[in-house]
Amino acid sequence: MSVSTAAIDPSVCAPLPVLGQDVTVSLVTGGEVTYAALDYAASAPALQRVWDDVAAYAPYYGSVHRGAGYLSQLSTDLFENSRRTVAEFLGCRADDQVVFTRSTTDSLNLLAAAIPAGCQVFVFETEHHASLLPWRDAQVTYLNAPRTPAQAVETLERALADRDPYGPALVCVTGASNVTGELWPVKELAAAAHAHGARIVLDAAQLAPHHPVDIAELDVDWVAFSGHKLYAPFGSGVLAGRSDWLLAAEPYLAGGGASRKVARRADGGVDVDWHTTAARHEAGSPNVIGVYSIASACKALTEAGFDNLVAREQELVSRVREGLAEVPEVQVLSLFGDDAPRVGVISFVVRGWNSSHFAAALSAEYGIGVRDGLFCAHPLVRTLLGSDPQDPGECGAPEAEPGERSLNAIRVSFGAGTPDEHIERFLRAVSELVSDGAQWKYRTEDGRCVPDRGTAAQV
């Protein structure tokens, strides 16, 4: 069995420099190889530009909004300038707010805490758990997985038509699936939501690193994303969009920074005057370095030319899909079909292989990092695998022996920093593992499939 090695067109765009490009790892079969990071959908490697910017700022780090000293003032300016950079990157409207959070999950939980009483929430079962689960205090309608973009819009329209037309409503939808990479019809879904008096929040965790996101052009009410998927480490995220629900809600966290004035009352209680800016939901000392890293990544992607980055990534997507199609045992997972546009996130299963065993062999024998599991999107992966909702399987290796039927999948993901060689090595490894089998024995340990290093015999 062979896989063609057609080269990526170098004239489209060169990969952006990222940290970890020269990291070497030992192979269980002997020797070392440069690590191929193909798990961008979980956390993308930091751009070298981001790391350099943070390193240059680090000696000047100070607490923001609270100090009269030079470092505090400089850090405050940097923090607020970062807010403006992110707003520009997202195409925010003039009256939108940019709130800094810890992650996409944190952003959506913040919004869930701010929705008006009696709000109806509509979520497709295909969502990542970050956008599937936060709406615990709302009336939630979970929508079945659509099989075409048009069906997604039709499903939402039918559900909204049956809702209480006088109460508040919110639609939550992903921009790009963290399982299949497929792009969702966000603009059409936003139009459907607004036509029925509902608002819409876009989970852009997988979209923003791979594709321009413009709040005004998409006509969404809010966008949420994470820095660690946008080539920016340090644990920060963003919730950007309309301010009215956020200003009407109690602060997400109560504490310093969210309050403008606190005074004791004559009866012994406390009166609080909360901020009416984004600071209302940013209590405590913020992650200044994390926020700055997001702004740096936004600038780096913009300056590199997002259209060029998208074009190169689409060549990588085509190369991976073509290579996997040459291996009959591989089944690529998809909701919308082969022709659906997608970003650099592709999940698959291999006939005759346990997915965790396959992922472990890619790592141990080829130095390739992918992900196996249900990718914190359990209902979606089970739907794509055609398994019963009650079947076992979770994020991580199941308690199954190598070769047993998979109840989870393998995900390869890549982006602006991925070298061509990593893609070619991955495709070669898939072909060799399927045709020749693994060169080493594996076992399950602490929920992970790992090489059996206590056994020198190869199989």
Side-chain angles (χ1 to χ4, degrees):
M1 184 182 300
S2 63
V3 175
S4 63
T5 56
I8 306 301
D9 183 357
S11 66
V12 174
C13 181
L16 298 184
V18 295
L19 296 184
Q21 288 178 318
D22 299 324
V23 169
T24 59
V25 293
S26 299
L27 302 181
V28 71
T29 50
E32 293 186 337
V33 67
T34 303
Y35 182 67
L38 295 178
D39 193 16
Y40 276 46
S43 284
L47 289 172
Q48 184 67 53
R49 153 76 178 273
V50 171
W51 196 259
D52 291 344
D53 283 350
V54 167
Y57 161 65
Y60 302 93
Y61 168 80
S63 183
V64 302
H65 298 148
R66 293 172 176 81
Y70 173 76
L71 296 188
S72 178
Q73 293 181 36
L74 185 148
S75 295
T76 298
D77 287 344
L78 178 142
F79 186 78
E80 294 303 332
N81 284 334
S82 295
R83 199 187 305 276
R84 286 186 282 273
T85 297
V86 171
E88 183 178 350
F89 180 76
L90 293 174
C92 287
R93 297 158 296 232
D95 56 350
D96 284 340
Q97 283 190 346
V98 172
V99 180
F100 289 118
T101 65
R102 294 178 297 175
S103 60
T104 306
T105 302
D106 195 35
S107 295
L108 293 170
N109 275 269
L110 189 166
L111 183 60
I115 59 178
C119 186
Q120 295 176 274
V121 177
F122 297 83
V123 187
F124 285 94
E125 68 171 347
T126 48
E127 292 293 306
H128 185 281
H129 294 171
S131 47
L132 188 74
L133 302 180
W135 321 102
R136 290 168 291 185
D137 297 328
Q139 177 185 338
V140 185
T141 298
Y142 293 105
L143 306 175
N144 291 335
R147 287 300 183 169
T148 66
Q151 189 180 87
V153 178
E154 293 166 3
T155 299
L156 179 62
E157 286 180 331
R158 284 197 303 271
L160 291 173
D162 291 338
R163 80 176 187 91
D164 177 0
Y166 301 106
L170 177 68
V171 176
C172 181
V173 68
T174 189
S177 171
N178 78 303
V179 176
T180 68
E182 291 165 311
L183 297 177
W184 278 61
V186 176
K187 190 170 184 177
E188 292 80 2
L189 290 167
H194 295 154
H196 290 275
R199 295 190 178 190
I200 185 168
V201 57
L202 171 63
D203 175 354
Q206 298 298 340
L207 184 62
H210 302 275
H211 197 281
V213 174
D214 190 304
I215 287 180
E217 195 273 331
L218 292 172
D219 197 25
V220 294
D221 298 282
W222 293 278
V223 165
F225 73 89
S226 298
H228 72 99
K229 299 184 191 297
L230 193 80
Y231 311 100
F234 308 113
S236 276
V238 169
L239 176 67
R242 303 199 183 278
S243 62
D244 54 348
W245 284 9
L246 298 178
L247 294 182
E250 289 292 303
Y252 182 48
L253 297 173
S259 57
R260 291 190 297 187
K261 183 173 68 174
V262 179
R264 292 292 302 274
R265 296 196 304 265
D267 64 4
V270 174
D271 285 326
V272 183
D273 182 15
W274 301 108
H275 272 295
T276 57
T277 64
R280 184 182 188 90
H281 296 290
E282 295 176 345
S285 297
N287 182 354
V288 182
I289 286 180
V291 165
Y292 182 45
S293 72
I294 290 179
S296 174
C298 290
K299 288 181 179 178
L301 294 173
T302 300
E303 292 170 5
F306 226 141
D307 289 344
N308 293 332
L309 296 174
V310 170
R312 180 175 186 274
E313 184 176 311
Q314 287 308 301
E315 288 209 0
L316 295 179
V317 169
S318 296
R319 181 71 197 94
V320 171
R321 287 180 59 79
E322 290 167 2
L324 292 178
E326 294 178 13
V327 185
E329 292 82 355
V330 170
Q331 175 195 351
V332 173
L333 305 183
S334 176
L335 266 179
F336 300 153
D338 289 343
D339 295 332
R342 65 196 71 220
V343 299
V345 179
I346 297 171
S347 295
F348 62 98
V349 292
V350 183
R351 187 168 63 250
W353 282 79
N354 174 276
S355 291
S356 297
H357 180 205
F358 200 90
L362 285 173
S363 174
E365 300 178 26
Y366 294 91
I368 298 170
V370 296
R371 182 154 296 227
D372 65 277
L374 300 179
F375 318 124
C376 292
H378 296 188
L380 171 57
V381 178
R382 289 190 173 112
T383 294
L384 295 172
L385 293 178
S387 62
D388 187 275
Q390 302 305 314
D391 278 344
E394 58 187 28
C395 291
E399 293 296 330
E401 293 299 320
E404 290 187 15
R405 172 177 175 265
S406 281
L407 297 173
N408 55 14
I410 307 152
R411 185 181 69 191
V412 57
S413 52
F414 41 88
T418 303
D420 298 357
E421 188 275 330
H422 291 184
I423 297 298
E424 299 309 327
R425 193 197 318 173
F426 165 75
L427 293 174
R428 184 178 68 254
V430 169
S431 177
E432 290 178 0
L433 285 173
V434 171
S435 62
D436 304 332
Q439 299 181 56
W440 210 261
K441 291 183 178 179
Y442 293 81
R443 58 187 173 86
T444 299
E445 179 180 287
D446 297 329
R448 298 299 309 168
C449 191
V450 298
D452 189 349
R453 297 182 182 274
T455 304
Q458 299 179 352
V459 296

